[in-house]
Amino acid sequence: MTVEQNVLQQHSQKHQQTLLNQLREVTGTTDIQLLQQALQVSNGDVAEAVAFLTEKNSKVPQQDETTYYQTSQVASDRYISVGSQADTNVIDLTGDDKDDLQRAIALSLEESSRAFRETGITDEEQAISRVLEASIAENKASLKRTHTEVWSDSPNPHDRKRIDSCPVGLKNVGNTCWFSAVIQSLFNLLEFQRLVLNYSPPARVLDLPRNQKEHRNLPFMQELRNLFSLMVGSKRKYVDPSRAVEILKDAFKSSESQQQDVSEFTHKLLDWLEDAFQMKAEEDSVGEKPKNPMVELFYGRFLAVGVLEGKKFENTEMFGQYPLQVNGFKDLHECLEAAMVEGEIESLHSAENSARSGQEHWFTELPPVLTFELSRFEFNQALGRPEKIHNKLEFPSMLYMDRYMDRNREITRIKREEIRRLKEHLTVLQQRLERYLSYGSGPKRFPLADVLQYAMEFASSKPVCTSPVEDIDTSAPPGGTTGQQLPPPSSTAEPDSVPPQESSGPASAPAAAPPAAQQQRVPVHKPFTQSRLPPDLPMHPAPRHITEEELRVLEGCLHRWRSEVENDTRDLQGSITRIHRTIELMYTDKSMMQVPYRLHAVLVHEGQANAGHYWAYIYDPHQRCWMKYNDISVTKSSWEELVRDSFGGYRNASAYCLMYINDKKPFLIEEEFDKETGQILSGMDKLPPDLKQYVKEDNEQFDKEIEEWDAMQARKAQQEKLALAAAAASAAPSSTSTSTSSPQPMSIESSPPDNTVAQQDPEYLEQPSPTGDFKHLQEDTERAISRAAAEQEDRSPEVLLNAAIKLEYARLLRFAQEDTPPELDYRLHHVIVYFIQNEAPKKILERTLLTQFADRNLAFDERCKSIMQVARAKLDLIKPEEVNMDEYEMWHQDYRNFRETTVLMVTGLELFQKSNYVEALMYLIYSYQYNRELLLKGLYRGHDEELLGYHRRECLLKLNEQAAAMFESGEEPEVGTGLGIMNELVVPCIPLLLAQEAEKDLLAVEDMRNRWCSYLGQEMEANLQEKLTDFLPKLLDCSTEMKSFHDPPKLPSYSTLELCERFGRIVAAVGRAPGEGR
């Protein structure tokens, strides 16, 4: 075939596909055979084809509203087609007036044709233009927003610095996660990477491009080269692809916005790359057929063999991305089997010339890079909008394509027939097994073996003659109390639910009842729980009358029948297992494992049909691990994580596109070697001279940014140091005068020079004033000294100190060991309780107690003063090697963190109880995070994680409900406030819920996302639709990386007693709240 013939054939195929797309968009028909039939009947006249289809559709009930969606339509086509990206507006085809319907269709076709004639731009290109402009607009608008954006760059360039040779991420410049996912998958095909980096435009078009394609494709190729070069040699953690996206955007003209679809973008990207390389190939090949590397890399051929109305046909077609239906299949091979066989194919293999129609596809040539589109969207005719299919679909890491090759056609047909026969036999066996496992004729069914076992147990029970109800006297209570009058129902309604200590108190007794009546209460008669049972009555039902002979015969029959049933069940299960195994091994012989394809990349989509977030899993053959590329974040992953996110059936995430590479063509992923040295080329060595210079300039600019940042930070540090020195110098005279003239006791800062140990004491053990926040601690200390003085004959200060410390420790030990309700937490009362419960070292406990007794505020009498002096002397005598001060400080810092967490928790719960969810959120978020860090060190380091998790989750759900209600109002101030709540509060917190993968947190995120996704497809004003489209990708971003967050809230100042009181009050209050829920 000549070049001209090849071009004509491709043009003819694309023209036919354009007609099919138009028909599909206008009529809503997705049956490819019916669409092709309509074109054949009308000889390519679209208007007549539409009339033919509407005639057919008028015979069945019509839907009220037809909305078309590009993704579901593209997926139904199995050819090289690039599906049409339809407009998201709704075409109203309601009503019975057929003339109106025809006029609407004709008008639609006329507008589409006129637009193409005037601009030369197809509907598909216009749709891509809309999303690209939306991306650029989002990027520009982000500079004007005042609140912190999810994707805002860190001002510190060190946070954006690439670590060693870690892969470079791509910044999401606004609804462009699809761009990142596809580009990263292609970039990591090293052969594709080399083709792009080493591309040079044809010499004839360097000065002036001849046509629109050259004007569009050549600048795009240059920007793609620049982007790839940065991804190879940049010093940045991630790079900005805006310029490449700008080139795409400038190719078309539109102003509407929507999120782009991966398959649509990949189709168009490969088309442009194919065109660009075709120009170069035509220039390089003089007198020869040009070879396009894009075609050779991504395109294959299949043979379509079939029968149409009794006539056999056979033709070869080219394909790029191969679409597969997901609905109704459990794994990739089932999808492929269904895709390769269409219609009734019995006549294909028989000599009879029947009227049946069907076809088989057999691959004659597979591309090195084999891409499958998984169609996870279908159009819901009833709702008039597309829906995502969340069904689970498994796929292997190594795919053998032998069974689908034309050269194996005959052996595959034989094996398919054998599998069909085995599956029919399997169905019969499963039906038989089901009769054994679900036995019975009623709505409830049980395994037959269990039924026989139950019957045997019933027959073997001890027979009795007593009726189960005849011995119960319902006229009087048991125990001879018939003569006493029963209490009224109101006083006996809930006797079991009240603990004894409560029911005996005055609150539970009648107001007029005398004390004597309370002591001689009449026992409550409960006929269904306290009736007297005869000693010979069994706990389970039993036969009334059965002889030994009857029992012997019955037991023998039941035993035998049960053994027969169990043997039959085992035989059936064994046969089913063997058939499954035979089917699994059908294609495992060596002859059918000669075409191996290894999984290279998986593109994942999370969200609903009209919006969502994309990321990619890509295999790194050099590190032999999977990498997760999620916009700017590139992290190591695992096959297990890939399976969880890609197979589907779990949350709203599932694989959307699979990229396999021929495992027998290692050049696809092999590094390039230096021809002179034989060394592997890496980093900047991969790049041609022009790109080396480009990357070098960008790296120099980044280095300069780092230097400027470091210099600015150094200046700030120097200024702070000077400010501190000046403050210290000015504070020195004032502190001296204060210490001599003020009657206040000295604080740690004004301690005498000889007491260096006390300067390191924690603040909750310092005593600024006898009437301050820690008065209770001083009182406890003085009480221990008084008790020690009363018990000890020797009144020397050292003996009294030792005795007082023992008494105080014993008291605190009892608190630590006491089983208390949740609202009473002794850890808040004293640090020693916290230390004991968390098994702190003995030396830490001793030093902490000594510090307590070394308080200067004890010096109100001579005895306390002398004990304080002894305690301080003992502190001075402790050697550094005896107590690790770093460990000591660590324990006290943990306790400070515990108290801060408690304050955050109490404040957050109080605000939550008052329905002040906006202010409560940050307190609950930070208290949960701090508490989790504490619990990682020990079970008693923090508070109840479930309690905090529940209120954190509920607070986010409440805010989500409030924001959604504001959005539904449609009023501009309300809508802005609602979206502000989501963008500034809810969305930044979602990664925290996703990070731990707790089931209830994941369900809560799902609820929030589903609430907003439910607005898709609903009629609303254009400005609301635009705001929703702008917001949804942020909500659906499934990344667990925290990109920006609010500062911790300011902590209120509570004394220990006040904190304990408020803690007890709020914990008791929320303890009555429902424990279940999300």
Side-chain angles (χ1 to χ4, degrees):
M1 182 181 290
T2 65
V3 174
E4 291 78 12
Q5 289 173 329
N6 184 32
V7 172
L8 287 173
Q9 181 183 2
Q10 292 183 6
H11 177 75
S12 176
Q13 289 176 351
K14 291 185 177 180
H15 176 69
Q16 182 184 14
Q17 189 57 46
T18 301
L19 296 178
L20 288 173
N21 289 334
Q22 286 183 335
L23 286 178
R24 192 160 42 203
E25 292 166 10
V26 173
T27 64
T29 303
T30 57
D31 188 336
I32 188 65
Q33 293 182 347
L34 184 59
L35 293 171
Q36 290 174 339
Q37 182 184 358
L39 282 178
Q40 290 174 357
V41 169
S42 63
N43 293 323
D45 190 307
V46 177
E48 290 186 14
V50 170
F52 173 80
L53 292 172
T54 53
E55 289 279 352
K56 279 187 171 292
N57 292 339
S58 63
K59 298 176 183 178
V60 297
Q62 295 295 312
Q63 63 188 41
D64 293 335
E65 189 173 75
T66 302
T67 307
Y68 46 87
Y69 184 71
Q70 69 282 4
T71 311
S72 58
Q73 295 160 356
V74 173
S76 65
D77 182 14
R78 291 192 174 88
Y79 303 98
I80 191 174
S81 62
V82 180
S84 173
Q85 175 84 17
D87 199 333
T88 55
N89 292 333
V90 176
I91 299 178
D92 187 5
L93 301 179
T94 58
D96 299 328
D97 191 341
K98 186 178 176 181
D99 292 339
D100 289 344
L101 176 63
Q102 293 288 354
R103 282 196 296 272
I105 292 170
L107 180 61
S108 174
L109 289 173
E110 182 183 351
E111 289 178 352
S112 178
S113 300
R114 183 173 67 250
F116 180 75
R117 287 195 304 270
E118 292 176 354
T119 64
I121 301 174
T122 64
D123 289 342
E124 175 192 9
E125 292 169 335
Q126 292 176 6
I128 292 181
S129 170
R130 285 194 291 272
V131 68
L132 293 171
E133 287 203 343
S135 298
I136 302 303
E138 165 69 18
N139 189 35
K140 292 178 178 177
S142 65
L143 301 176
K144 303 177 183 179
R145 293 179 182 150
T146 55
H147 63 270
T148 305
E149 285 292 332
V150 175
W151 292 108
S152 59
D153 289 331
S154 169
N156 185 351
H158 290 282
D159 295 338
R160 295 180 271 116
K161 188 174 181 179
R162 185 179 182 182
I163 301 174
D164 299 328
S165 58
C166 180
V168 175
L170 291 176
K171 183 180 179 181
N172 188 334
V173 294
N175 293 352
T176 56
C177 49
W178 46 270
F179 181 90
S180 300
V182 174
I183 290 297
Q184 290 283 17
S185 301
L186 295 174
F187 173 81
N188 281 277
L189 285 169
L190 298 187
E191 177 64 13
F192 179 86
Q193 181 189 121
R194 284 189 287 270
L195 288 171
V196 172
L197 291 174
N198 295 309
Y199 177 83
S200 58
R204 59 177 175 78
V205 296
L206 285 177
D207 298 329
L208 183 65
R210 295 182 304 177
N211 53 43
Q212 183 184 3
K213 282 187 176 181
E214 292 180 358
H215 182 74
R216 174 193 68 200
N217 293 344
L218 295 179
F220 172 72
M221 279 300 303
Q222 184 57 44
E223 286 305 328
L224 189 62
R225 292 180 71 234
N226 292 342
L227 180 61
F228 272 30
S229 67
L230 291 175
M231 294 169 70
V232 168
S234 179
K235 293 182 178 181
R236 303 175 190 266
K237 180 181 177 182
Y238 56 89
V239 295
D240 190 336
S242 295
R243 296 179 67 176
V245 175
E246 283 275 7
I247 296 295
L248 292 172
K249 172 254 181 183
D250 288 339
F252 313 106
K253 301 298 178 184
S254 179
S255 59
E256 299 179 24
S257 64
Q258 56 183 308
Q259 191 178 45
Q260 180 62 316
D261 168 66
V262 166
S263 63
E264 290 293 327
F265 168 70
T266 311
H267 274 303
K268 183 53 62 178
L269 175 66
L270 293 180
D271 265 359
W272 291 352
L273 291 172
E274 180 185 349
D275 291 340
F277 277 95
Q278 185 66 30
M279 289 186 287
K280 181 65 175 174
E282 290 174 356
E283 182 184 70
D284 294 342
S285 58
V286 180
E288 300 178 1
K289 180 181 178 180
K291 291 184 178 180
N292 191 321
M294 289 296 108
V295 174
E296 293 183 347
L297 200 59
F298 294 103
Y299 290 90
R301 286 180 171 80
F302 65 83
L303 184 67
V305 181
V307 175
L308 181 61
E309 297 179 354
K311 296 181 181 180
K312 293 186 178 181
F313 67 89
E314 185 172 311
N315 61 291
T316 301
E317 299 188 38
M318 183 181 284
F319 71 94
Q321 299 179 82
Y322 202 84
L324 297 174
Q325 295 292 330
V326 169
N327 210 6
F329 307 109
K330 69 177 184 179
D331 58 43
L332 186 61
H333 277 299
E334 285 192 3
C335 295
L336 276 166
E337 290 283 353
M340 304 303 281
V341 180
E342 296 181 2
E344 302 179 31
I345 61 170
E346 289 85 350
S347 57
L348 298 178
H349 315 148
S350 63
E352 301 177 3
N353 189 12
S354 67
R356 292 178 176 176
S357 298
Q359 64 174 321
E360 292 177 331
H361 291 174
W362 299 98
F363 292 118
T364 56
E365 181 183 345
L366 288 173
V369 181
L370 180 59
T371 305
F372 295 111
E373 296 175 8
L374 303 183
S375 176
R376 286 195 169 270
F377 298 101
E378 62 182 3
F379 191 83
N380 189 317
Q381 299 286 348
L383 297 177
R385 64 169 180 259
E387 291 183 341
K388 185 176 178 182
I389 301 168
H390 297 290
N391 299 353
K392 183 178 181 180
L393 183 81
E394 299 179 358
F395 48 84
S397 58
M398 185 67 74
L399 178 69
Y400 293 95
M401 296 294 293
D402 302 75
R403 69 183 82 174
Y404 311 110
M405 302 302 295
D406 182 53
R407 61 174 177 265
N408 297 323
R409 187 193 305 185
E410 296 306 321
I411 188 172
T412 299
R413 283 175 175 171
I414 294 172
K415 288 181 179 291
R416 283 178 181 170
E417 180 61 27
E418 177 65 13
I419 290 175
R420 186 189 63 79
R421 187 188 63 78
L422 288 171
K423 286 186 175 180
E424 289 178 354
H425 185 42
L426 184 65
T427 301
V428 174
L429 293 177
Q430 287 173 333
Q431 290 173 349
R432 290 179 181 175
L433 179 62
E434 185 65 19
R435 296 192 187 103
Y436 282 93
L437 298 180
S438 299
Y439 184 80
S441 56
K444 291 185 178 181
R445 304 190 176 207
F446 305 92
L448 180 54
D450 292 348
V451 172
L452 295 172
Q453 177 65 27
Y454 299 152
M456 191 160 54
E457 291 174 359
F458 173 77
S460 304
S461 299
K462 183 179 179 181
V464 295
C465 300
T466 307
S467 167
V469 297
E470 66 183 14
D471 65 312
I472 300 175
D473 182 6
T474 60
S475 63
T481 59
T482 56
Q484 299 182 21
Q485 183 179 358
L486 293 177
S490 62
S491 64
T492 62
E494 299 178 354
D496 278 338
S497 62
V498 181
Q501 65 271 24
E502 294 181 12
S503 61
S504 61
S508 60
Q518 295 180 22
Q519 296 175 1
Q520 299 178 358
R521 296 180 63 186
V522 178
V524 179
H525 176 44
K526 304 174 185 176
F528 297 105
T529 59
Q530 294 182 354
S531 57
R532 293 167 296 165
L533 298 177
D536 58 347
L537 187 63
M539 294 300 293
H540 300 288
R544 301 282 184 82
H545 306 284
I546 185 170
T547 65
E548 291 185 3
E549 180 64 21
E550 289 172 335
L551 181 60
R552 183 177 58 79
V553 173
L554 184 58
E555 284 184 339
C557 292
L558 291 172
H559 272 294
R560 184 176 72 254
W561 295 339
R562 186 168 182 267
S563 298
E564 293 171 356
V565 168
E566 289 176 343
N567 290 334
D568 291 346
T569 303
R570 278 195 297 269
D571 292 343
L572 286 169
Q573 290 172 335
S575 298
I576 290 172
T577 302
R578 285 192 295 274
I579 291 176
H580 276 301
R581 185 62 177 163
T582 302
I583 293 174
E584 289 174 1
L585 298 176
M586 188 65 69
Y587 292 100
T588 56
D589 51 291
K590 192 174 181 181
S591 63
M592 300 299 285
M593 300 178 70
Q594 299 301 309
V595 188
Y597 272 77
R598 185 177 58 76
L599 187 61
H600 164 69
V602 180
L603 277 64
V604 181
H605 174 269
E606 182 181 46
Q608 302 298 329
N610 289 39
H613 179 67
Y614 295 98
W615 68 94
Y617 289 102
I618 303 173
Y619 186 72
D620 187 333
H622 307 290
Q623 297 190 55
R624 297 189 177 184
C625 70
W626 285 93
M627 303 292 291
K628 182 177 180 179
Y629 290 79
N630 190 355
D631 290 327
I632 66 172
S633 172
V634 182
T635 56
K636 278 191 176 182
S637 184
S638 64
W639 175 254
E640 290 73 24
E641 183 182 1
L642 184 152
V643 166
R644 186 197 65 200
D645 286 348
S646 306
F647 279 10
Y650 178 76
R651 296 192 290 176
N652 281 341
S654 53
Y656 194 92
C657 184
L658 305 177
M659 193 176 288
Y660 284 88
I661 58 176
N662 193 323
D663 203 43
K664 290 188 175 181
K665 296 184 177 180
F667 72 91
L668 293 169
I669 53 174
E670 278 185 347
E671 294 283 1
E672 190 176 2
F673 289 85
D674 187 284
K675 295 179 181 179
E676 297 180 358
T677 64
Q679 298 294 321
I680 294 178
L681 295 177
S682 61
M684 299 282 281
D685 295 333
K686 287 184 177 183
L687 305 179
D690 62 323
L691 294 181
K692 278 185 180 179
Q693 183 62 29
Y694 177 79
V695 175
K696 181 181 178 182
E697 292 175 359
D698 185 78
N699 286 340
E700 288 175 352
Q701 181 181 354
F702 186 62
D703 288 339
K704 184 178 179 181
E705 185 180 348
I706 292 177
E707 290 175 5
E708 291 176 352
W709 170 268
D710 291 342
M712 182 178 68
Q713 297 305 309
R715 286 195 301 272
K716 284 185 178 180
Q718 183 65 24
Q719 291 171 358
E720 291 175 359
K721 186 175 181 181
L722 293 173
L724 288 174
S730 61
S734 61
S735 62
T736 304
S737 61
T738 302
S739 62
T740 57
S741 61
S742 174
Q744 297 282 342
M746 290 184 294
S747 65
I748 294 298
E749 287 75 8
S750 58
S751 298
D754 61 336
N755 188 4
T756 57
V757 179
Q759 296 180 13
Q760 300 176 358
D761 293 340
E763 68 273 11
Y764 44 81
L765 291 178
E766 299 168 7
Q767 307 299 321
S769 168
T771 59
D773 288 343
F774 302 98
K775 184 178 179 181
H776 74 285
L777 188 61
Q778 178 187 338
E779 292 174 349
D780 291 340
T781 307
E782 294 171 353
R783 192 179 300 112
I785 293 175
S786 299
R787 287 185 57 192
E791 295 176 4
Q792 297 294 325
E793 295 181 1
D794 186 352
R795 300 296 181 88
S796 64
E798 186 169 357
V799 172
L800 288 179
L801 173 63
N802 292 335
I805 287 178
K806 288 181 180 179
L807 289 171
E808 179 69 355
Y809 178 77
R811 180 181 73 89
L812 297 175
L813 181 62
R814 286 196 303 272
F815 286 162
Q817 295 174 342
E818 186 176 334
D819 188 12
T820 59
E823 59 268 21
L824 179 60
D825 193 336
Y826 283 122
R827 293 175 300 174
L828 295 172
H829 289 250
H830 203 291
V831 62
I832 292 295
V833 177
Y834 183 86
F835 286 175
I836 293 174
Q837 290 189 357
N838 290 287
E839 300 179 352
K842 183 180 178 182
K843 292 290 185 181
I844 304 296
L845 296 174
E846 290 176 351
R847 180 181 175 83
T848 304
L849 282 170
L850 270 177
T851 304
Q852 176 181 334
F853 282 85
D855 173 31
R856 297 184 193 84
N857 292 319
L858 294 178
F860 72 98
D861 63 15
E862 288 302 322
R863 181 177 63 192
C864 290
K865 182 178 180 180
S866 60
I867 290 176
M868 178 267 291
Q869 292 172 346
V870 171
R872 297 180 77 84
K874 284 180 174 289
L875 283 175
D876 292 338
L877 292 174
I878 295 177
K879 298 178 181 178
E881 61 269 17
E882 292 180 2
V883 177
N884 187 331
M885 290 307 298
D886 290 338
E887 184 181 18
Y888 176 83
E889 177 55 33
M890 181 197 72
W891 276 96
H892 283 276
Q893 183 59 50
D894 283 353
Y895 186 66
R896 282 191 289 269
N897 295 341
F898 171 72
R899 287 175 61 92
E900 289 179 6
T901 302
T902 306
V903 173
L904 287 167
M905 170 184 170
V906 169
T907 308
L909 292 177
E910 288 175 343
L911 291 169
F912 183 90
Q913 287 291 98
K914 298 174 182 177
S915 300
N916 192 346
Y917 304 119
V918 172
E919 292 186 24
L921 180 63
M922 284 302 108
Y923 287 100
L924 293 173
I925 289 291
Y926 274 98
S927 63
Y928 181 90
Q929 293 301 115
Y930 293 169
N931 190 67
R932 183 171 181 80
E933 293 173 6
L934 288 170
L935 291 177
L936 291 175
K937 296 183 178 182
L939 181 61
Y940 300 104
R941 294 290 186 113
H943 295 289
D944 183 0
E945 188 173 21
E946 288 189 9
L947 176 70
L948 280 170
Y950 170 81
H951 285 87
R952 178 185 71 159
R953 185 167 58 247
E954 286 299 312
C955 191
L956 284 168
L957 287 165
K958 296 286 188 184
L959 286 172
N960 187 70
E961 288 297 316
Q962 288 182 359
M966 292 176 180
F967 182 81
E968 290 173 1
S969 70
E971 299 294 332
E972 188 56 38
E974 291 285 309
V975 170
T977 302
L979 290 177
I981 289 173
M982 294 302 296
N983 282 318
E984 297 177 14
L985 295 176
V986 178
V987 169
C989 293
I990 284 181
L992 297 174
L993 298 186
L994 296 176
Q996 305 303 326
E997 298 184 356
E999 182 180 0
K1000 292 180 180 180
D1001 287 345
L1002 295 178
L1003 289 174
V1005 173
E1006 201 76 2
D1007 287 348
M1008 289 186 279
R1009 288 174 171 172
N1010 288 339
R1011 175 64 182 270
W1012 289 92
C1013 287
S1014 67
Y1015 298 137
L1016 294 170
Q1018 295 185 18
E1019 293 186 5
M1020 63 178 70
E1021 295 180 3
N1023 66 320
L1024 292 181
Q1025 183 68 50
E1026 183 179 355
K1027 291 178 184 293
L1028 182 64
T1029 306
D1030 172 68
F1031 163 68
L1032 274 178
K1034 302 171 188 175
L1035 179 65
L1036 296 173
D1037 178 13
C1038 67
S1039 171
T1040 56
E1041 181 181 355
M1042 293 301 300
K1043 303 175 182 68
S1044 64
F1045 207 61
H1046 294 262
D1047 293 330
K1050 294 183 179 179
L1051 294 179
S1053 178
Y1054 292 156
S1055 69
T1056 298
L1057 292 178
E1058 184 182 9
L1059 178 60
C1060 295
E1061 181 181 319
R1062 299 183 76 157
F1063 175 84
R1065 187 165 57 246
I1066 192 62
V1067 171
V1070 300
R1072 296 192 291 270
E1076 297 299 325
R1078 296 178 181 87

